[in-house]
Amino acid sequence: MTDKSQEKTEPETFFADWMKMATELWDPMAWMWSAFHKTTGMTPDSIKYGKRPRMQESWDTAQKTWQAFSQVMSEPETMETLLKGAGMLPEIFLKTAQTGSKTFVNFQKQWLKRTGKLQESAKTYNLEKDAFKAWTQLYEQEFRKFFKIPQLGLTRFYQEKMIRSMDKFNIYQAAVTEFSRLLLLPMEKSFQVLQEKLTELADKEDLPEDSKKYYQIWIKILEGHYMILFQSSEYTQALNKTLNAMSEFSAVKKEILQDFLNMLPVPTHKEMDDLYKEIYLLKKRIKELEKKK
Amino acid sequence: MTQPGIAIDLILSKLAEDAEKARTRAEKAPEVLLGPLETEIATTPCDIVYEEDRVKLKHYKPATKIQLNRPLLLVYALINRETMLDLQPGKSVVQNFLQEGIDLYMIDWGYPTRKDRYLTIDDHVNGYIDNAVDFILKKHNLDKINLMGICMGGTFCVIYSALHPEKVQNLVTTVTPTHFDTDQGLLHIWMRDMDVDQIVDTYGNIPGDILNLAFLLLNPARLMIDKYVGFLENMDNKKFVENFVRMEKWIFDSPDVPGETFRQFVRDCYQNNLLIQNKMEIGGHRVDLKKITMPLLNYYGKYDHLVPPEACEPLISKVGSKDTENVCLDTGHIGIYVSSKCQKEFVPRIAQWLKQRTADKNKLKIKKTSRKKSVTKKTAPQSKPALKTKKNK
């Protein structure tokens, strides 16, 4: 019991002593400060209107507040209440930490769920059959979301552009890969057809003796397959997708470059384009006027 | 025991023979490739008589006595360069015209830079072409000239002739697309769904390299493989190498295309097919093909994969002129101008057609040739034997 009461009163005594010491230190300082202002801080206006300087006024108010505060804090009841509050601190920290960790765990769960979804999607898209197309779909539906997380802070616009460029690059790469795959298909097919054709000729005992003939047969088959491909809607779609992806990536790349150029003493494309447009319109007007003469 | 059906021994011996030939070629090739080669293009002497921005007007020095009092102005496309018409001595459309006594002018569109991105079809047709025509008319004290267009340049000439019929005596269109709603040419299929706004907004001008890649993709088997296999097979032949390099120089000399012109051409022509429907507007004026009342000669290639016959043929049935003719040659897009076979008939026939209409136009028996009929039927009296032309389809 004795120990407990001692533990309880010790901080109170310590705090009261500290308050006393602080007041004893700051009191003479305050006195010196006001004395200094009485001699030097008086402006013509303050003399005229009998006002004290603003600095001294603020200092006096602060001093009075401190005195009132230290008086209240010296009361044992106040200290006891305060220390009770301090005892609650670890509990508050614990609760905060628990909330934080719960959020983190939830976030992790969501990530795991997303990863699970990726696996599911990968199965749905039948990767073996149409790998490049599947990857594009997978990227667009699952990965792309992460590039759209809102950016915060002073540099958010720049961050957004960087992230957008990464996203557009991925889309462009996917489109180019798919497009290249389509372009290689006639090659693949032409060799298959050539083999079939050669087997057919061999069966008829009509194989050409000239090796150049084999090349001519193959190039004709290849040309035919390309013509079939180029007229297909699949190819036109892939072509347009690639062109659009290339334009979009190129545009965002230029935006980033423009940001860097803005820091240098050189005109940007946008500024030059504005100027070119003005020159173009002016020239056109002059030419029209000249023709009317 | 049955005899094997495949003459493997023969195939192998032929293969060995080919390998030996290839080795000989490879040994001789450095002599050709490292030696002096004449690969200059566009060497026919000319003067630059008019310049405006990047555009130049070339006036060729006559090779013989001028036989036609009205000059002929050639308008090339904005894609690739007009040097194709003067690839090499002895195989030059320009030289052939000069030999026929034609006073020849040609527009050199130059190399558009970023500042040219806002130039529209109106600026090219009512600006540069009209100014060049005015210059020639003033210089020769004439009221009309003869006009000939190549590919997209032909489309520009059609638009120009509809907007300024008072300045055109005769119109010659060669491999000129005017009807774009067809599935016969790959360009027509590909352009239909192209997001032209996005491309133009991104690039400003359309890079020549991208256009070149698109043209190569029209027939990769021939243009990216077979062509170079042909080169390897003939790389010990100096003449072949020189001609090959000349063609390579021309093909890959691709100026960028001004963005706004490209946008309008794709949107109004390829995507909406406005020209042939008399709905296209240039500089605030509707292009009415019925206003093309001058004689019209329309050339195209049967095997043209860029501008198929279907894109060229309908023009003569849409214009106001009664003196029109479709001529389809057994060749492709470029073959009309560079193949030895076409060289013999292409220019002489145009020159003859022009001379007849300029010298004694009142005596012409004007007949409109049906676009579905054979074009061997002539619309004017012939002083030379009729040249062989093919059916439209």
Side-chain angles (χ1 to χ4, degrees), chain A residues 282-293, chain B residues 50 52 131:
Chain A
L282 278 170
K283 272 175 96 171
K284 194 163 181 157
R285 233 175 122 188
I286 291 168
K287 281 175 187 173
E288 276 169 19
L289 288 170
E290 274 178 347
K291 274 198 171 180
K292 277 180 190 170
K293 264 187 183 177
Chain B
Y50 174 78
E52 188 182 346
N131 291 342

Side-chain angles (χ1 to χ4, degrees), chain A residues 75-246:
Chain A
E75 298 293 327
E77 294 81 8
T78 316
M79 278 312 291
E80 204 174 330
T81 318
L82 189 73
L83 287 171
K84 262 186 189 172
M88 295 285 285
L89 271 178
E91 207 177 322
I92 292 165
F93 281 135
L94 191 68
K95 275 191 178 170
T96 314
Q98 276 175 346
T99 318
S101 67
K102 265 185 189 171
T103 315
F104 179 71
V105 169
N106 278 342
F107 191 64
Q108 224 176 12
K109 272 182 189 170
Q110 277 184 22
W111 271 81
L112 282 170
K113 206 174 162 188
R114 183 78 57 206
T115 321
K117 256 184 128 182
L118 284 180
Q119 285 170 348
E120 276 172 33
S121 305
K123 279 176 200 163
T124 320
Y125 295 139
N126 194 0
L127 283 178
E128 279 173 20
K129 199 182 169 189
D130 224 346
F132 299 120
K133 218 172 193 171
W135 161 247
T136 311
Q137 284 178 335
L138 199 63
Y139 175 77
E140 282 177 358
Q141 288 178 19
E142 305 298 343
F143 286 107
R144 211 174 179 196
K145 291 169 188 169
F146 296 105
F147 288 101
K148 292 190 174 172
I149 294 172
Q151 299 300 304
L152 307 170
L154 181 67
T155 56
R156 68 176 300 280
F157 284 109
Y158 303 104
Q159 285 159 225
E160 253 178 11
K161 275 180 203 167
M162 288 302 285
I163 285 170
R164 204 162 66 235
S165 77
M166 285 190 264
D167 174 43
K168 297 292 178 197
F169 177 74
N170 289 336
I171 293 284
Y172 169 59
Q173 280 298 314
V176 164
T177 315
E178 172 64 11
F179 186 62
S180 310
R181 182 193 70 86
L182 275 180
L183 281 181
L184 285 174
L185 274 181
M187 279 278 182
E188 200 183 305
K189 281 185 184 168
S190 68
F191 284 118
Q192 280 173 10
V193 175
L194 179 70
Q195 274 182 344
E196 285 164 17
K197 179 109 184 158
L198 291 181
T199 315
E200 200 181 297
L201 288 171
D203 289 345
K204 287 182 193 169
E205 297 185 11
D206 196 21
L207 272 176
E209 291 157 17
D210 190 349
S211 56
K212 209 182 163 187
K213 283 262 167 60
Y214 294 93
Y215 165 76
Q216 281 163 351
I217 294 171
W218 171 72
I219 202 87
K220 210 173 171 185
I221 295 168
L222 182 65
E223 194 181 12
H225 278 285
Y226 269 121
M227 285 305 135
I228 293 167
L229 172 74
F230 290 158
Q231 287 174 24
S232 69
S233 60
E234 194 188 5
Y235 177 80
T236 314
Q237 279 168 14
L239 175 73
N240 285 324
K241 201 174 172 183
T242 309
L243 281 174
N244 289 347
M246 189 166 73

Side-chain angles (χ1 to χ4, degrees), chain B residues 8-239:
Chain B
I8 294 172
D9 52 341
L10 274 175
I11 294 170
L12 288 176
S13 69
K14 188 76 186 162
L15 205 64
E17 209 178 289
D18 287 345
E20 182 57 27
K21 275 184 193 168
R23 194 186 60 80
T24 318
R25 269 201 305 272
E27 274 173 7
K28 210 181 161 192
E31 280 175 37
V32 175
L33 296 172
L34 299 173
L37 289 170
E38 281 177 34
T39 58
E40 287 300 303
I41 55 173
T43 53
T44 306
C46 68
D47 294 318
I48 306 296
V49 290
Y50 174 78
E51 274 185 83
E52 188 182 346
D53 303 334
R54 70 179 205 278
V55 181
K56 292 181 179 77
L57 180 64
K58 291 178 179 176
H59 186 206
Y60 288 92
K61 294 185 189 302
T64 180
K65 194 187 167 203
I66 300 292
Q67 294 173 34
L68 203 63
N69 61 352
R70 284 188 203 279
L72 173 67
L73 172 63
L74 299 186
V75 181
Y76 197 77
L78 293 181
I79 294 154
N80 284 106
R81 302 252 300 146
E82 80 293 344
T83 47
M84 191 268 286
L85 298 173
D86 190 22
L87 267 190
Q88 66 184 93
K91 253 190 181 181
S92 158
V93 170
V94 166
Q95 281 189 356
N96 289 346
F97 271 122
L98 296 176
Q99 290 296 334
E100 290 286 338
I102 306 277
D103 194 2
L104 193 68
Y105 286 85
M106 182 151 70
I107 290 178
D108 170 1
W109 292 116
Y111 295 87
T113 59
R114 199 166 172 94
K115 79 175 169 58
D116 298 310
R117 64 177 294 188
Y118 300 106
L119 292 170
T120 59
I121 296 180
D122 174 42
D123 295 308
H124 287 90
V125 172
N126 291 321
Y128 299 127
I129 294 179
D130 192 40
N131 291 342
V133 169
D134 284 348
F135 174 86
I136 298 165
L137 293 178
K138 197 177 170 187
K139 190 182 170 192
H140 293 265
N141 196 24
L142 290 168
D143 57 345
K144 289 180 179 185
I145 61 155
N146 293 320
L147 193 60
M148 174 172 153
I150 292 100
C151 191
M152 185 193 199
T155 313
F156 283 4
C157 287
V158 168
I159 295 170
Y160 182 79
S161 302
L163 295 174
H164 305 274
E166 74 285 356
K167 295 182 187 177
V168 184
Q169 178 72 50
N170 298 296
L171 174 63
V172 182
T173 49
T174 60
V175 294
T176 293
T178 45
H179 172 57
F180 295 84
D181 190 13
T182 170
D183 282 341
Q184 293 306 309
L186 288 175
L187 279 185
H188 295 265
I189 297 171
W190 294 352
M191 294 279 195
R192 204 167 289 151
D193 298 317
M194 179 199 272
D195 189 347
V196 68
D197 289 334
Q198 190 177 52
I199 293 173
V200 172
D201 291 345
T202 306
Y203 292 103
N205 291 334
I206 304 305
D209 288 338
I210 288 186
L211 290 169
N212 257 339
L213 182 65
F215 294 135
L216 288 180
L217 286 178
L218 286 167
N219 194 347
R222 297 285 173 198
L223 301 175
M224 292 162 95
I225 301 171
D226 195 41
K227 190 175 125 181
Y228 296 101
V229 169
F231 176 76
L232 289 175
E233 284 175 344
N234 292 281
M235 61 185 181
D236 55 338
N237 179 340
K238 193 177 178 218
K239 282 282 164 216

